[in-house]
Amino acid sequence: HQRLLLQTGYTALAARGDSKLSLMNSATAVLVGVMTDGEWSACQQKALQGQPMSAFAANGSGPAGLAGRVSFVLGLKGPCFSVTTVCSSSLVALDAAAQNLQLGRCSSAVGGGVNMISDPVGFLAYGEALAPDGKCKTFDAAANGLGRSDACGAVVMAAVDDQAETGLQMGGSGVNQDGRSASMSAPNGPSQ
């Protein structure tokens, strides 16, 4: 998780023209959505079995430390936290990045998400919810279950006053819980 997020986050910053030196002590936020924590589960299992572990195993494998690792390595001083809201983790992290920019808590923000499946338990836990062919077919009539995979993405966000600024513009965002629906994981259409 950490290696993948470091590579992706730094690549996004470098594509904007930032260097590690220019970022040092900057008010850049890191807000990251995390879906799985297989490494953390593996560490807990080893500890319960009395297996020897590195003194750094806990902080190197837990989902809570992911955003902090990026801030630590690059010397960033903006708001920094990991979000775990299952499937919406990355979107909630991007919303938090936008809010922190609007409130002036940071000058720029790295927002994104990471998911890695490092052990089979994640597959076993979903059981019959998994698509038989392993493919996710979101919004498709042929959808027949969940498809899981590794992924990481990051964007660099900054507040702009100049409408001529290049890049994508975020018109708005929001976060809510849409209440009861057909199941815990099914969205409530009218609330969405």
Side-chain angles (χ1 to χ4, degrees):
H1 277 97
Q2 290 186 13
R3 179 191 52 76
L4 188 58
L5 187 60
L6 274 166
Q7 287 177 314
T8 305
Y10 185 73
T11 298
L13 287 161
R16 190 178 83 147
D18 292 321
S19 68
K20 188 171 178 182
L21 188 60
S22 71
L23 290 167
M24 187 68 68
N25 295 317
S26 70
T28 301
V30 180
L31 305 154
V32 179
V34 185
M35 175 63 182
T36 60
D37 59 357
E39 294 104 338
W40 180 243
S41 299
C43 279
Q44 289 174 323
Q45 281 299 111
K46 286 181 180 180
L48 289 172
Q49 295 169 359
Q51 295 179 22
M53 291 181 12
S54 160
F56 301 103
N59 73 355
S61 61
L66 283 166
R69 178 67 67 181
V70 176
S71 291
F72 171 77
V73 169
L74 299 177
L76 309 177
K77 302 266 181 156
C80 172
F81 56 87
S82 300
V83 177
T84 305
T85 60
V86 194
C87 297
S88 62
S89 300
S90 299
L91 295 173
V92 174
L94 289 173
D95 177 73
Q99 287 181 27
N100 277 283
L101 282 165
Q102 282 181 322
L103 293 171
R105 294 178 178 155
C106 55
S107 56
S108 63
V110 178
V114 62
N115 179 53
M116 285 191 69
I117 304 167
S118 57
D119 64 18
V121 175
F123 284 101
L124 299 173
Y126 282 99
E128 293 180 12
L130 294 170
D133 59 2
K135 295 180 181 176
C136 185
K137 299 174 237 15
T138 307
F139 306 115
D140 188 325
N144 59 352
L146 175 68
R148 301 193 71 208
S149 67
D150 298 339
C152 185
V155 296
V156 180
M157 301 166 67
V160 293
D161 295 326
D162 182 10
Q163 292 297 327
E165 181 73 26
T166 59
L168 298 175
Q169 293 189 11
M170 186 173 181
S173 67
V175 174
N176 74 332
Q177 169 46 274
D178 55 356
R180 281 184 80 71
S181 60
S183 72
M184 177 77 169
S185 63
N188 180 325
S191 295
Q192 293 285 316

